[in-house]
């Protein structure tokens, strides 16, 4: 497999994986926090953050760099415009996670409490990330379908 093909495969896998993780977080993980007793939330959130790196953070880093690499090295069937759109969607998810969701998680960690306004905002941010990831996955599906047609 060529470098471009390998990077494309990595971008596909990591984007699909991160789409699933974001959808799971939106529909299951964050809403279940409401069921955590207030006295147990600090420990629960601390454990959530501890487990975040291998399951969420690292795959998103791979997604970011693999989609960025497609701006330079991509299969001939994947146009530059598509690579730009994919990178903007993927990079937007990483940026929103770091600069919008990150401070909310920091506040939860600092206070040890789940505040309803913070959770509502986190759910909105998660919805934005999920929609962006679904759009990125949809773009990749369309390009894969076009390539095999």
């Amino acid at each position: 497999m060529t470098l471009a093909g390998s990077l494309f495969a990595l971008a596909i896998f990591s984007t699909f994986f991160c789409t699933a993780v974001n959808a799971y977080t939106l529909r299951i993980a964050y809403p279940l926090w409401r069921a955590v007793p207030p006295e147990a939330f600090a420990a629960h959130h601390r454990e959530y953050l501890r487990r975040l790196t291998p399951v969420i953070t690292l795959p998103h880093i791979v997604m970011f760099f693999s989609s960025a690499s497609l701006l330079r090295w991509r299969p001939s069937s994947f146009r530059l415009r598509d690579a730009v759109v994919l990178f903007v969607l993927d990079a937007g998810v990483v940026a929103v996670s770091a600069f919008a969701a990150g401070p909310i998680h920091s506040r939860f960690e600092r206070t040890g409490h789940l505040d309803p306004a913070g959770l509502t905002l986190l759910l909105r941010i998660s919805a934005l990330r999920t929609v962006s990831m679904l759009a990125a996955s949809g773009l990749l599906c369309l390009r894969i379908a076009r390539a095999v047609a």
Side-chain angles (χ1 to χ4, degrees):
M1 184 180 289
T2 65
L3 173 65
S6 298
L7 292 170
F8 188 58
L10 187 59
I12 290 168
F13 179 80
S14 61
T15 298
F16 287 179
F17 182 89
C18 291
T19 300
V21 166
N22 278 281
Y24 168 84
T25 302
L26 172 64
R27 296 293 298 150
I28 298 172
Y30 289 163
L32 282 176
W33 288 4
R34 290 183 181 116
V36 176
E39 64 277 3
F41 182 75
H44 177 81
H45 188 257
R46 189 171 34 258
E47 185 64 14
Y48 174 84
L49 293 179
R50 187 185 72 75
R51 293 176 183 224
L52 200 68
T53 298
V55 178
I56 296 176
T57 306
L58 291 178
H60 279 77
I61 291 169
V62 170
M63 178 189 70
F64 175 84
F65 283 109
S66 63
S67 64
S69 68
L70 292 176
L71 297 171
R72 171 67 178 93
W73 302 282
R74 63 191 170 280
S76 57
S77 62
F78 196 64
R79 297 176 291 205
L80 177 60
R81 182 186 73 203
D82 296 330
V84 169
V85 170
L86 179 66
F87 178 70
V88 166
L89 289 167
D90 289 351
V93 166
V94 171
V96 165
S97 296
F99 299 113
I104 297 168
H105 283 289
S106 294
R107 185 173 76 230
F108 290 167
E109 186 176 19
R110 189 177 58 254
T111 66
H113 298 288
L114 176 68
D115 63 89
L119 181 59
T120 298
L121 184 54
L122 204 53
L123 286 164
R124 286 182 181 150
I125 292 165
S126 187
L128 173 65
R129 291 187 303 210
T130 301
V131 168
S132 295
M133 292 306 311
L134 287 168
S137 291
L139 170 67
L140 289 170
C141 285
L142 287 173
R143 296 307 165 238
I144 293 167
R146 178 178 285 163
V148 298

